[in-house]
Amino acid sequence: MSITGKLFGRGDPEGREGPGTDTTVSRQAVSLAQQGRFGEAIGCFDRVLEEDPTNVKMWNNKGVFLDLIGRDQDALVCWERALSIDPGFAPAWVSRGMLHRRRNRFEEALACYDRALELNPDSAVAWYNRSGIFVAMHRLDDAVACYERVLSIDPHFVAAWTDLGYAHFLRHRHEEAVTCYDRAIADDPGSVRVWSLKGGALYALGEYRKALECFDRVLAIDPKYAAGWSMKCSVLYHLGMYRHALACADKALEINPGCELTTQVRKMLLSLIQKW
């Protein structure tokens, strides 16, 4: 999840934006963090909190940034402060859950998400993060149920469609996976990840021509995506187009020379071509 996706809280009244609004301050902080200037990013929240020490969203977001730089205890203090001001502020529990998730403390993370959902049962973000825990615990049925709950709340939650598709893929329900990826693509047609996953599901179904179309789309979006060239190489191999597959393998290795699997595939292709 992006830095922006980690920021939660109540929006500014009527979508208002200006130099002092929570939204603007958070965007400034994100911009600084993306430049590696986390100290300055946290300073954005501190300046707001000096004037408005009861701003729970700023306490939450400051905690998120402290978590990102590994200052766990300081982050937890921020979330505790937010909850002491507003015990019903569910985003603070979501943020705590994300910290535990990154430390592979799954039960602690689930407890946080459950608390967030007690406070706000219609939080798509909390349901989505909860589903990720179940995937990590290999409880795919529970994960699928959570993703479906997310999408009942927000049918345009692209990440949920994508991850629901992958959960179906892991359960070998490839056609259902493709359907989910199509829903994600409808809202985000430029996603390399979703097109790649759709191509992988079609490949597993033996739909090589359709898979090839997906990987071509991937490479049209990002021609330097080495995995895209490798996947296209695999599809062309299954279609018996060995010389074209070899060209894709060469392109993949030009971008990522260290890929051992592609190197092995290239050797196999050379052997096949030489036998002709």
Side-chain angles (χ1 to χ4, degrees):
M1 183 177 287
S2 66
I3 295 174
T4 305
K6 298 177 190 295
L7 303 182
F8 311 103
R10 299 170 181 145
D12 298 311
E14 300 179 359
R16 179 176 62 87
E17 289 194 29
T21 64
D22 291 352
T23 299
T24 302
V25 170
S26 296
R27 286 177 176 170
Q28 291 171 345
V30 168
S31 178
L32 289 166
Q34 289 172 337
Q35 301 171 52
R37 297 158 64 184
F38 279 92
E40 294 173 65
I42 293 168
C44 292
F45 302 125
D46 286 336
R47 285 191 291 275
V48 175
L49 291 167
E50 285 178 11
E51 297 184 7
D52 182 10
T54 62
N55 188 320
V56 290
K57 182 177 180 181
M58 293 293 98
W59 280 114
N60 179 69
N61 292 354
K62 180 181 177 181
V64 168
F65 277 69
L66 289 167
D67 174 21
L68 289 171
I69 59 175
R71 291 171 57 181
D72 294 16
Q73 291 305 312
D74 292 333
L76 290 167
V77 167
C78 288
W79 299 324
E80 288 292 346
R81 183 64 180 273
L83 290 167
S84 71
I85 298 165
D86 181 359
F89 188 64
W93 285 105
V94 175
S95 297
R96 290 176 73 164
M98 293 174 75
L99 183 150
H100 289 306
R101 169 63 182 92
R102 281 189 287 278
R103 309 306 186 266
N104 294 320
R105 298 194 290 263
F106 301 140
E107 295 297 340
E108 291 92 333
L110 275 179
C112 290
Y113 297 139
D114 287 346
R115 181 63 178 139
L117 289 166
E118 287 176 16
L119 296 167
N120 183 5
D122 291 327
S123 170
V125 171
W127 281 108
Y128 175 74
N129 281 280
R130 191 171 187 264
S131 62
I133 297 296
F134 288 133
V135 172
M137 298 173 75
H138 307 290
R139 292 168 56 180
L140 293 180
D141 289 343
D142 290 325
V144 167
C146 286
Y147 288 130
E148 290 175 344
R149 182 62 183 270
V150 173
L151 294 164
S152 71
I153 298 166
D154 180 1
H156 299 286
F157 200 125
V158 172
W161 280 116
T162 305
D163 292 348
L164 175 59
Y166 189 63
H168 285 315
F169 180 85
L170 292 175
R171 298 195 300 173
H172 305 288
R173 297 182 179 179
H174 301 129
E175 291 181 353
E176 292 176 58
V178 170
T179 298
C180 291
Y181 297 143
D182 283 339
R183 289 294 300 268
I185 287 167
D187 282 321
D188 186 9
S191 171
V192 166
R193 178 171 182 252
V194 181
W195 280 109
S196 297
L197 289 170
K198 181 182 177 182
L202 289 166
Y203 180 89
L205 286 167
E207 298 279 358
Y208 299 127
R209 292 287 180 183
K210 291 181 180 179
L212 183 60
E213 292 175 5
C214 291
F215 297 134
D216 281 338
R217 186 63 178 265
V218 167
L219 295 168
I221 297 168
D222 183 1
K224 295 185 178 181
Y225 186 51
W229 289 105
S230 294
M231 290 184 288
K232 182 175 179 178
C233 169
S234 296
V235 173
L236 290 169
Y237 165 76
H238 280 281
L239 290 171
M241 302 171 68
Y242 300 145
R243 293 188 183 278
H244 291 290
L246 179 61
C248 290
D250 287 340
K251 187 65 177 179
L253 290 169
E254 178 184 325
I255 299 166
N256 180 17
C259 181
E260 293 184 7
L261 180 59
T262 305
T263 299
Q264 293 172 3
V265 170
R266 185 180 186 278
K267 290 179 180 178
M268 179 187 68
L269 286 166
L270 284 171
S271 176
L272 288 170
I273 291 169
Q274 288 170 359
K275 290 177 181 178
W276 282 9

